[in-house]
Amino acid sequence: MGDYRAVSWVLLVFVLVTCISGEDPYRFFTWNVTYGDIYPLGVKQQGILINGQFPGPPIESVTNDNLIISVYNSLDEPFLLSWNGVQQRRNSWQDGVYGTNCPIPPGKNFTYVLQVKDQIGSYFYFPSLAFHKAAGGYGGIKISSRPLIPVPFPPPAGDYTILAGDWYKKNHTDLKAILDGGGDLPFPDGLLINGRGSNGYTFTVDQGKTYRFRISNVGIATSLNFRIQGHKMLLVEVEGTHALQNTYSSLDIHLGQSYSVLVTADQPAQDYYIVVSTRFTSQVLTTTSTLHYSNSAGRVSGPPPGGPTIQIDWSLNQARSIRRNLTASGPRPNPQGSYHYGLINTTHTIRLANSAPVISGKQRYAVNSVSFIPADTPLKLADYFKISGVFNLGSIPDNPTGGGGYLQTSVMAADFRGFAEVVFENPEDTLQSWHIDGHNFFVVGMDGGQWTPSSRLSYNLRDTISRCTVQVYPKSWTALYMPLDNVGMWNVRSENWARQYLGQQFYLRVYSPANSWRDEFPIPKNALLCGRALGRRTRPL
């Protein structure tokens, strides 16, 4: 009788899981990662290609889709892909950074099994190990709303992805060697739009129709300004949040950030410049693509329109104008504004200050004086298998110390279902850009000078934007409210890739003592094991 009950219980669980999974479609991708010759700035380089493409193939999905992405590593070195902005609900196992995943060895493959749970919007994927991001390997991610969920604008006539970023003529291995030797990265050699230099890409539109442009800054070093000659942009989405539909003539997009705008082809029928230029740099780099009217009577003419260069106040005011659309549905039918984040008491405050210490004669970067060094075993695996000596909770303070920099595998503890106030403090002269995996947060305030408790009086507690990547202006602060609603080991990092590579990152361990599938999925059966986790056993999902 006992065996019969056990078998019946297993069958019931299987049927329930199958039924639940059956509601959400599966999309399958098979990717082969190789080196290949590319010429984005007219110079032959060794790029990282996915299925022979640079940028890599797009991911097009719908809210709650299950994505099965089989990645074959045909490089001669370990490789990982991460998914900038995909929250991996209850599933940090699939996050694709070294703190959670073992690298895919050369000649091997790994299948990511992830769900775009309760998300919409525009994101991108990228290679997270070593300095691979400087070699390509990135691509766009589009998550559309389910058919029955209203979207706060008419369906556009077309949907274009723009992956813009700075680029170097040196190979990624040479750039990595500069950093490993304690040097600074040189200034970028140029800018790319969808893997091509100036006038290398054309977007075709029909006169009178409206198009959606999903724009991401996939670069490694510089903020960008985006604009289209003679056209206005209606902002509609910011990293998964429907935005208040303000009109902009140009838009600042900082490292790792993504925006969606609507552009109406309402000008005389000819071709127009699409322009991207660097921000807050003494030397301004610019690149262009072409907005081509299908009935165009002429090619682009005149110089590309200029944009802002080093004006911080201009950018700060624009950032404050980006608000959430309180009447729009998110990935679910309920209005986004129904989440009254400003009425929730915060459980604790985390203050994070960036710095650039020299440690043992080499340039490093730090958070609260701690410069992160990778452990010999992914932190998530060490936590799951209870392997001691890999990391210690509390190895990074939750307030600036003002002391000198030191090396540490830094992990901060956080309780599941807490509601944290996070303040990024930037005492340096350079703009910072920060990303937090696994979560969206509310950008409640930003201003110049030193943050103090009285700064809370200026917070926007009603309709600020919710996103996953935020800028901190020079000698300024940015404050967030963040619901700690996703159990896992999550990377908090600088999106300036030299800073990230040289230590300006740490991991946030959001912990639930319940040890329940309701809070977090168990380790995947196909999880790669390495370091001190070798020889352990995984469990099937």
Side-chain angles (χ1 to χ4, degrees), residues 40-41 54-55 124 133-134 138 162-168 188-198 215-226 253-257 276-278 285-287:
L41 293 178
F54 168 64
F124 62 92
K133 194 178 182 186
Y138 55 74
I162 291 182
L163 302 173
D166 47 48
W167 194 258
Y168 291 84
D189 294 301
L191 302 178
L192 304 183
I193 295 175
N194 290 358
R196 301 180 188 178
S198 279
I215 315 148
S216 295
N217 183 342
V218 296
I220 63 173
T222 53
S223 297
L224 301 175
N225 182 266
F226 178 89
I253 305 175
H254 305 284
L255 288 165
Q257 293 186 337
V276 174
S277 59
T278 57
L285 298 175
T286 301
T287 197

Side-chain angles (χ1 to χ4, degrees), residues 407-420:
L407 303 176
Q408 183 70 261
T409 303
S410 39
V411 180
M412 186 179 293
D415 291 331
F416 182 44
R417 297 203 176 101
F419 193 72

Side-chain angles (χ1 to χ4, degrees), residues 231-284:
H231 293 72
K232 298 293 187 182
M233 299 179 290
L234 189 71
L235 183 66
V236 293
E237 178 250 329
V238 179
E239 293 164 18
T241 301
H242 290 306
L244 191 66
Q245 294 181 10
N246 293 331
T247 299
Y248 299 93
S249 56
S250 74
L251 193 60
D252 275 357
I253 305 175
H254 305 284
L255 288 165
Q257 293 186 337
S258 299
Y259 291 90
S260 279
V261 298
L262 296 180
V263 177
T264 300
D266 56 4
Q267 298 300 303
Q270 63 177 62
D271 292 355
Y272 296 87
Y273 284 113
I274 296 174
V275 187
V276 174
S277 59
T278 57
R279 289 285 268 127
F280 318 115
T281 56
S282 55
Q283 175 189 349
V284 177

